[in-house]
Amino acid sequence: MAAANLEGFRLNLDTRRVQLVESDVATFDIPNDVNTIYLFNPFSPTVLEAMLNNLNASISRYPRAVRLLYLYYVGRAVLMRFGFQEEKRIGEVSLYTLKPAPTATPL
């Protein structure tokens, strides 16, 4: 389904940098260059927490802002607990942003 959706987008968008991954999200090592994640009513809060722990590990290795598009609202409390801020909601889709903690500048 995701591959077919991506093919439809190729007509209107540059999707060369889009990568579809089929994996166990609870154990997936999120690459350091991932900055946007789309989740379609994905999984239980426990599994979402595992995925967010993996994301935090990736952000610790390479600090960056991350956008998360999340269809349906069931994981909102978990996302907020992990520091995501809801930027916008359109229908059932919410856009969340997680910004890295500022680093101290030496005096």
Side-chain angles (χ1 to χ4, degrees), residues 18-93:
V18 173
Q19 180 183 13
L20 298 177
V21 177
E22 184 178 343
S23 176
D24 179 351
V25 72
T27 60
F28 180 66
D29 186 24
I30 297 174
N32 295 342
D33 62 347
V34 168
N35 62 8
T36 304
I37 299 171
Y38 174 76
L39 301 173
F40 177 87
N41 195 22
F43 19 70
S44 70
T46 302
V47 175
L48 181 59
E49 287 177 6
M51 189 277 297
L52 293 172
N53 282 325
N54 295 338
L55 179 60
N56 278 342
S58 176
I59 292 170
S60 292
R61 292 189 302 267
Y62 186 78
R64 65 201 183 275
V66 175
R67 292 173 295 187
L68 189 133
L69 291 158
Y70 189 72
L71 183 61
Y72 301 124
Y73 225 45
V74 295
R76 182 178 192 280
V78 175
L79 294 172
M80 302 305 272
R81 198 167 58 245
F82 272 79
F84 279 89
Q85 298 296 313
E86 186 175 31
E87 300 290 328
K88 183 182 277 191
R89 186 169 185 202
I90 301 171
E92 295 295 326
V93 178

Side-chain angles (χ1 to χ4, degrees), residues 63 100-107:
T103 57
T105 306
L107 299 174

